[in-house]
Amino acid sequence: MPSRDPSWQRPPLSTDSAEAVACYQQGIAALVAGIAHAETYLTQAATIDPAFYLAQVGIAAARVVAGELYTAPPIPARALTRGERQHAEIIEAALTGHAARAANLRREHLSEYPCDLLIVWLPALVEDLSRRSGRA
């Protein structure tokens, strides 16, 4: 059995709820796959753990896909991991028109967390949104 390289992980998540993590993972997978119910899964994750910040960030990203403007969720009182802070900062930069900043932050983040699915997929999302808005 091959050993798992610990660097091929996603950022640690600041929730103790396995159920919230499962809903979050389903929601991100659905978002990346273009499945319409992504926001439902992400909302379930946020309902289970209202302070689960990346679920809130995922909901905001799903709403951008649905045609809304990106609105960063309020930062919770609970401490976030460094990876979560980076993740949220990259999403906000990319979805608010700061492409160069997002690209630089993304490169750095993915060198540490190459399995952060939403961050891996982000350039394709931004390109698709740009094409849909007629800016491409």
Side-chain angles (χ1 to χ4, degrees), residues 21 24 29 39 52 72 74 80 111 128:
V21 170
Y24 172 75
E39 187 176 344
F52 186 6
L80 299 175
S111 70
D128 182 56

Side-chain angles (χ1 to χ4, degrees), residues 52-124:
F52 186 6
Y53 190 60
L54 289 193
Q56 301 290 342
V57 170
I59 292 166
R63 289 179 178 161
V64 169
V65 171
E68 296 180 25
L69 293 176
Y70 182 79
T71 302
I75 296 174
R78 164 192 305 171
L80 299 175
T81 67
R82 186 167 96 29
E84 287 175 311
R85 286 189 312 274
Q86 288 174 336
H87 177 105
E89 188 175 4
I90 295 162
I91 297 294
E92 183 172 2
L95 298 181
T96 59
H98 302 281
R101 179 168 166 42
N104 289 332
L105 293 169
R106 181 177 174 272
R107 242 185 322 277
E108 180 182 333
H109 182 76
L110 289 177
S111 70
E112 188 170 351
Y113 302 110
C115 288
D116 191 339
L117 184 59
L118 185 54
I119 301 303
V120 168
W121 173 71
L122 195 56

